[in-house]
Amino acid sequence: MPALAESCIESANVAPVTRGGEPVKLPSPEGGSNIIGFWRVCEIHRQIAGRAYPNASSLAQRLETSRRTIERDIERLKDLFRAPIEYDRGRRGYYYTESFSLPVIRLKEGEALALFLGQKLFMQCRGTPFEEFVREA
């Protein structure tokens, strides 16, 4: 998950995503951490924007999750961010029909470091008795 800081976070101020003037909170897929779900959405966006024509199976393998989770994340991109995503049957993958970028989330240096260290701790505790404690934190 190191690409989280590189692909979706810049140092500075927080710029929340809004819909109709109200802040949008990303739903937490699989009961997991919002940051993990947001990281997956960022990675999916990065793959599609890179014109790699990824499909749900290849993304699931790359991001170590289920195909169904990827499908939900793609729907989240479409619904929350109005991403113009389509599936190309010939290339067997997703692509953007027009130019699109995710809103930038700006964090102070300390906030970005805290997120990065938190995700590293979460990954190290995955599958251990401490996983639930770290996830809740």
Side-chain angles (χ1 to χ4, degrees):
M1 282 193 244
L4 169 66
E6 297 166 11
S7 63
C8 297
I9 299 176
E10 293 180 10
S11 295
N13 303 321
V14 176
V17 177
T18 61
R19 176 189 275 168
E22 295 296 314
V24 173
K25 180 180 177 188
L26 284 175
S28 176
E30 304 166 7
S33 162
N34 280 344
I35 194 68
I36 302 298
F38 183 69
W39 171 79
R40 265 196 327 269
V41 168
C42 287
E43 285 300 303
I44 291 168
H45 162 69
R46 205 164 63 91
Q47 291 295 309
I48 294 171
R51 297 186 176 106
Y53 287 87
N55 58 41
S57 298
S58 67
L59 287 166
Q61 183 177 9
R62 178 182 179 92
L63 301 176
E64 299 177 0
T65 191
S66 71
R67 184 172 190 256
R68 182 64 190 123
T69 295
I70 297 298
E71 290 168 350
R72 282 192 298 265
D73 288 341
I74 289 171
E75 288 304 312
R76 192 167 290 120
L77 267 167
K78 289 179 178 180
D79 294 343
L80 290 179
F81 300 106
R82 307 222 190 301
I85 300 174
E86 293 293 332
Y87 186 82
D88 185 316
R89 290 183 187 267
R91 293 187 176 183
R92 295 181 173 169
Y94 293 99
Y95 69 101
Y96 287 127
T97 58
E98 57 190 68
S99 179
F100 174 78
S101 62
L102 284 173
V104 176
I105 295 179
R106 299 180 190 276
L107 300 175
K108 294 176 185 161
E109 190 174 333
E111 294 168 331
L113 178 61
L115 282 175
F116 177 73
L117 293 175
Q119 77 184 26
K120 298 232 7 130
L121 176 63
F122 179 77
M123 295 308 289
Q124 289 176 348
C125 292
R126 204 174 205 176
T128 72
F130 302 109
E131 178 179 4
E132 190 60 32
F133 297 119
V134 174
R135 181 188 313 267
E136 288 177 12

